[in-house]
Amino acid sequence: MGEVGGAKGRSITSGSADDQMNCHLCTNVKANAWCEDCKFYLCPTCEGHHKKIPITKAHRLLSGNRMPSFYPPGSGSNTEDIQICPDHPLEEIKFYCQNHDSIGCVACHTLKHATCAKQYIPDVSANYKSSKYYKNLIAEFKATDKNTSKSLQEIDGCLKDVDKLSTNEINKLQQFKALIIAYLDQREKELLTEIKKRRDQDTALLEKLQTEAKALQSDLGKAQQNLKTHESNSNHLFIAAKRAKTMLNQLQTSLDDIKRKTQVQPYTLQKDPLVETLLQNKDGIGEIVSRAGNNKL
């Protein structure tokens, strides 16, 4: 127990009349009385309490010159010998209750253990160190300490398992994400290639029709110019007109063909319904679920 009280610094049997006897229950406070029953020095305040507490008010108190001028044997002059009761700070732990396997002061046993079988601690403690009870207690402490160490090792192992488990699952998630991204990138590449192919095909066709339309327009211009050239000669104009009519029919047929081919074949991106469902599902990429089994990986 830690340092309590003020009676200290002298041997049990030595002392002189000039020495200051200090209160056992206070720190560095001069004693005013000596209790023959408790073997305590008491300051005026503690003496007052001692006289009021029912269990100690009948104790024999010595004061003045009647007080011992030294610390008598068994007085608890060294603070290591004083075990103060936690429930009654003015009392020393002196008794052992066999019924409840508990220790306490006079007040404890008077108020709580009046009908119990009690023993004076000095009478039962002399050979306690060599008793089987103390040996069993030490063995139990060792066993509990061993179990505690084992428990700490298990906790450390579980902490490592927690880190390992989270690392594994994070890696799985990131790998799965990488697969999804790689798949989407590949599909994007394929769809972009198809769109470009359709664009190039439509562009090539329209550019070909554009060239043919320009050539047709040029032929029409030439035919009209040829008619004007022969307007001064009726015979030549008639012949030129008949030829021009035949050519015009051919040009009109070609123009109809160009007009028929001049169109764009519409196309659109049709989203994959599975991906659409995935995007609408808040747990689409996956979820964390507990698995059966022990807590070891």
Side-chain angles (χ1 to χ4, degrees), residues 23-251:
C23 177
H24 274 97
L25 304 180
C26 300
T27 303
N28 296 327
V29 179
K30 184 178 180 180
N32 187 62
W34 165 264
C35 178
E36 283 280 277
D37 297 273
C38 295
K39 307 299 182 185
F40 274 1
Y41 282 103
L42 302 170
C43 67
T45 300
C46 293
E47 181 187 8
H49 288 297
H50 219 61
K51 290 178 179 179
K52 293 179 181 179
I53 297 175
I55 196 66
T56 59
K57 66 180 182 180
H59 285 190
R60 295 166 296 170
L61 299 178
L62 303 180
S63 60
N65 293 331
R66 298 176 60 199
M67 273 196 315
S69 59
F70 57 92
Y71 292 94
S75 66
S77 59
N78 291 326
T79 57
E80 293 180 356
D81 295 333
I82 301 174
Q83 300 291 328
I84 299 299
C85 177
D87 296 329
H88 306 94
L90 298 180
E91 295 295 334
E92 181 183 7
I93 297 175
K94 292 184 177 181
F95 295 99
Y96 168 67
C97 175
Q98 293 176 290
N99 299 58
H100 299 92
D101 191 25
S102 64
I103 55 177
C105 65
V106 174
C108 291
H109 284 275
T110 300
L111 299 174
K112 300 179 181 178
H113 307 277
T115 60
C116 298
K118 57 181 178 290
Q119 293 176 292
Y120 188 50
I121 288 178
D123 293 339
V124 297
S125 64
N127 298 319
Y128 181 73
K129 184 177 180 180
S130 59
S131 70
K132 64 177 182 180
Y133 303 104
Y134 183 68
K135 292 179 181 178
N136 290 340
L137 178 64
I138 296 302
E140 189 174 348
F141 264 104
K142 290 181 179 179
T144 302
D145 182 61
K146 183 178 179 180
N147 289 334
T148 302
S149 298
K150 183 178 179 181
S151 180
L152 287 172
Q153 291 177 352
E154 291 176 351
I155 292 173
D156 288 340
C158 287
L159 286 172
K160 293 178 181 178
D161 287 344
V162 167
D163 287 339
K164 182 179 179 181
L165 177 61
S166 64
T167 299
N168 289 342
E169 297 310 305
I170 289 173
N171 288 338
K172 285 168 59 177
L173 174 60
Q174 292 176 340
Q175 290 172 3
F176 188 41
K177 175 185 174 183
L179 288 175
I180 294 174
I181 293 175
Y183 168 77
L184 293 176
D185 286 344
Q186 179 61 30
R187 284 299 297 145
E188 179 188 34
K189 182 180 179 180
E190 292 171 355
L191 292 171
L192 288 174
T193 299
E194 184 175 352
I195 292 172
K196 184 177 182 297
K197 178 180 178 182
R198 287 173 177 264
R199 182 198 64 190
D200 292 345
Q201 288 176 344
D202 289 343
T203 299
L205 175 61
L206 291 171
E207 287 179 346
K208 178 182 178 182
L209 294 175
Q210 185 182 54
T211 301
E212 291 176 359
K214 287 180 178 181
L216 188 150
Q217 187 177 46
S218 177
D219 289 343
L220 284 172
K222 291 178 179 179
Q224 294 180 65
Q225 184 62 38
N226 187 50
L227 289 174
K228 290 181 179 181
T229 302
H230 296 287
E231 285 180 349
S232 60
N233 187 314
S234 298
N235 292 334
H236 289 179
L237 178 61
F238 181 79
I239 295 172
K242 294 303 180 180
R243 289 177 176 174
K245 177 60 177 174
T246 301
M247 184 183 70
L248 181 59
N249 289 337
Q250 294 175 347
L251 291 177

Side-chain angles (χ1 to χ4, degrees), residues 272-287:
D272 190 320
L274 293 178
V275 177
E276 287 277 85
T277 302
L278 173 66
L279 295 175
Q280 294 173 5
N281 187 351
K282 64 182 181 67
D283 297 325
I285 194 172
E287 60 181 333

